[in-house]
Amino acid sequence: PGVLLSINEFAFLLLPIINLFCYSPNNVIIKNTRLKRNIVLLFIVLVFTEVVVKNVIYGQSIGDAFKTIRIGLTLFSSLILITQGIRADIRIVWKTLLMAISVSAILSFVSLAIDPNILVEQGGRAGTANAYFGVIGLYLLIEDKNKWYNQGKLVKITAVLSLIGLLLGFNRTYLALLFYEGVYLTFRRFSIKKFFKILFFVGIFLGMLFYVYKTNDIIGRQVDKRILSIVLGEADLKENTVENNRDLIYDNIEARINENHWVLGLPYKKPVFSRYNLENEYIAYAKTDTSFINILLRYGFLVLLLFFNVLYLMYRKKYFIPIIFWVFFFASFNTDSLLAQNSVFFLFIFSFVLLSSYNFKK
């Protein structure tokens, strides 16, 4: 339809199709009719609104409908997997995912060593799209030592690499939430052994961060701006993680809501907000850094309501580890963690891994 997909978008588009052709006795199927019914209804409303309703009201083309759905391709691909189940051997899927995340992190670090200009282009941030697995990685480093999915060196290596990548991304929202996750995991079923283990990991990460801080000026400036300014009291944590430079975005969001675009969502060609970037170019943005606002203003209230219901049903049935879910949930108020980022895929895939833990012995 005249759309050039990136490699990761093409992969998310193919993933449910490839999954249909897989079979293994060690698959994981979610047997929850109500959950699947809500997901199917979400897709019916989504497609009907984008293809039919917006065509009638806004004159939106089929191509623009596809482009709008494309914004949430990570989420929608993950939701389809929930309805299908993981038809392949979940142990192989888990191992493959861990290997992919580890290779991604290693390639990222190697590329920075080969070409330091990449760091300049990224504004001093060294994280990757797969670094969001670090939220799950932190959990795996501390909890569930007796579970099949937390055995062997690969999972430890992946957890550490993804956590380093997430820390080097210098996303202030995730830095704050990782701190709270670490505190929660430390005092949940507290023991001296767990305390010293966490202290060991913290010492390693702080030591690596201090080394990079002293040897790399670009990362050093990021640390000064995003971490030390908060620790030394020069900047407020709430302001840095949520409110900083957001007035223009919030004003535009309020304007779109007042225009009643919360009912059906915006037509593709109308941005959520527009502003000048650092190069003084006026840019129109199709989405914001808030997942729920993106769903509301791109797809409408009913799709958002159905999505909330899906999350509620999965949480109530304990398909999520609570602390992991709440980290991604709160992150979604200042990043796109539950719509377009790989984090929502990791959250849902880990649900299959958790559900399979009853089927395998250590």
Side-chain angles (χ1 to χ4, degrees):
V3 178
L4 181 63
L5 293 173
S6 64
I7 292 177
N8 66 308
E9 288 176 322
F10 191 58
F12 277 117
L13 196 62
L14 284 180
L15 185 58
I17 299 173
I18 295 173
N19 186 52
L20 282 175
F21 292 94
C22 297
Y23 173 76
S24 170
N26 293 325
N27 59 17
V28 181
I29 306 298
I30 294 179
K31 298 178 180 179
N32 188 323
T33 304
R34 185 180 175 188
L35 173 63
K36 293 181 179 180
R37 185 169 59 240
N38 274 270
I39 294 174
V40 171
L41 183 58
L42 185 152
F43 278 107
I44 292 173
V45 173
L46 172 69
V47 174
F48 182 75
T49 301
E50 295 301 326
V51 175
V52 179
V53 179
K54 289 187 180 180
N55 176 266
V56 173
I57 296 177
Y58 302 122
Q60 177 170 275
S61 66
I62 297 294
D64 283 346
F66 176 78
K67 292 174 185 177
T68 304
I69 296 173
R70 171 190 178 183
I71 293 172
L73 190 56
T74 309
L75 169 63
F76 300 142
S77 178
S78 302
L79 288 175
I80 293 173
L81 289 180
I82 295 295
T83 63
Q84 292 178 338
I86 298 297
R87 297 170 59 84
D89 189 326
I90 189 63
R91 294 171 295 187
I92 297 176
V93 172
W94 179 238
K95 184 177 180 179
T96 304
L97 181 66
L98 294 175
M99 292 175 64
I101 294 170
S102 293
V103 171
S104 171
I106 293 171
L107 289 175
S108 175
F109 301 149
V110 170
S111 68
L112 294 176
I114 295 174
D115 186 4
N117 290 328
I118 295 176
L119 201 58
V120 177
E121 295 170 0
Q122 294 178 344
R125 301 190 184 193
T128 70
N130 291 327
Y132 302 113
F133 188 83
V135 174
I136 299 174
L138 179 59
Y139 175 85
L140 293 175
L141 288 173
I142 300 172
E143 297 287 345
D144 291 357
K145 297 301 180 182
N146 61 332
K147 301 296 179 64
W148 71 270
Y149 51 80
N150 205 8
Q151 305 298 310
K153 295 180 180 180
L154 178 60
V155 66
K156 306 297 187 298
I157 292 172
T158 305
V160 171
L161 289 175
S162 61
L163 194 53
I164 292 173
L166 190 55
L167 293 173
L168 291 180
F170 296 107
N171 183 299
R172 289 168 290 199
T173 300
Y174 274 108
L175 290 176
L177 290 172
L178 280 176
F179 171 77
Y180 289 125
E181 181 185 1
V183 171
Y184 170 81
L185 292 175
T186 300
F187 291 98
R188 179 174 178 259
R189 295 196 295 265
F190 179 81
S191 68
I192 298 297
K193 181 180 179 181
K194 178 192 284 190
F195 176 77
F196 280 108
K197 180 189 297 183
I198 295 173
L199 200 63
F200 172 75
F201 285 124
V202 170
I204 291 178
F205 288 124
L206 288 179
M208 293 179 62
L209 188 60
F210 181 76
Y211 173 78
V212 175
Y213 172 75
K214 285 296 187 180
T215 58
N216 192 295
D217 293 337
I218 301 173
I219 291 181
R221 286 194 295 270
Q222 285 290 336
V223 174
D224 291 338
K225 176 183 177 182
R226 296 177 175 271
I227 300 178
L228 293 183
S229 62
I230 299 174
V231 174
L232 298 177
E234 298 172 0
D236 181 73
L237 177 61
K238 183 181 178 182
E239 177 185 350
N240 272 270
T241 57
V242 179
E243 297 178 352
N244 195 26
N245 299 320
R246 294 304 176 97
D247 291 344
L248 175 64
I249 300 176
Y250 295 155
D251 289 343
N252 277 264
I253 290 172
E254 184 178 2
R256 300 294 86 78
I257 291 175
N258 290 336
E259 293 165 359
N260 293 321
H261 286 300
W262 61 272
V263 180
L264 297 173
L266 292 159
Y268 178 75
K269 292 181 179 178
K270 187 169 185 177
V272 175
F273 72 99
S274 304
R275 69 178 178 185
Y276 288 97
N277 62 12
L278 296 176
E279 287 74 34
N280 205 34
E281 299 172 329
Y282 195 67
I283 305 295
Y285 293 87
K287 64 187 187 71
T288 73
D289 287 337
T290 305
S291 295
F292 303 128
I293 292 296
N294 288 334
I295 297 174
L296 179 68
L297 292 182
R298 292 268 55 122
Y299 310 116
F301 175 74
L302 189 53
V303 171
L304 178 61
L305 185 63
L306 289 167
F307 178 57
F308 275 136
N309 197 35
V310 168
L311 292 180
Y312 168 74
L313 290 173
M314 294 187 70
Y315 187 87
R316 192 184 70 174
K317 290 293 185 179
K318 299 181 179 179
Y319 297 161
F320 299 134
I321 297 292
I323 184 60
I324 295 174
F325 169 78
W326 287 115
V327 168
F328 285 135
F329 181 84
F330 285 119
S332 70
F333 288 94
N334 205 43
T335 71
D336 204 2
S337 62
L338 291 180
L339 179 66
Q341 293 177 352
N342 287 3
S343 49
V344 68
F345 172 70
F346 295 144
L347 177 66
F348 283 4
I349 283 293
F350 196 53
S351 297
F352 288 108
V353 174
L354 295 172
L355 288 170
S356 69
S357 62
Y358 300 103
N359 302 322
F360 300 111
K361 300 296 183 180
K362 180 180 175 183

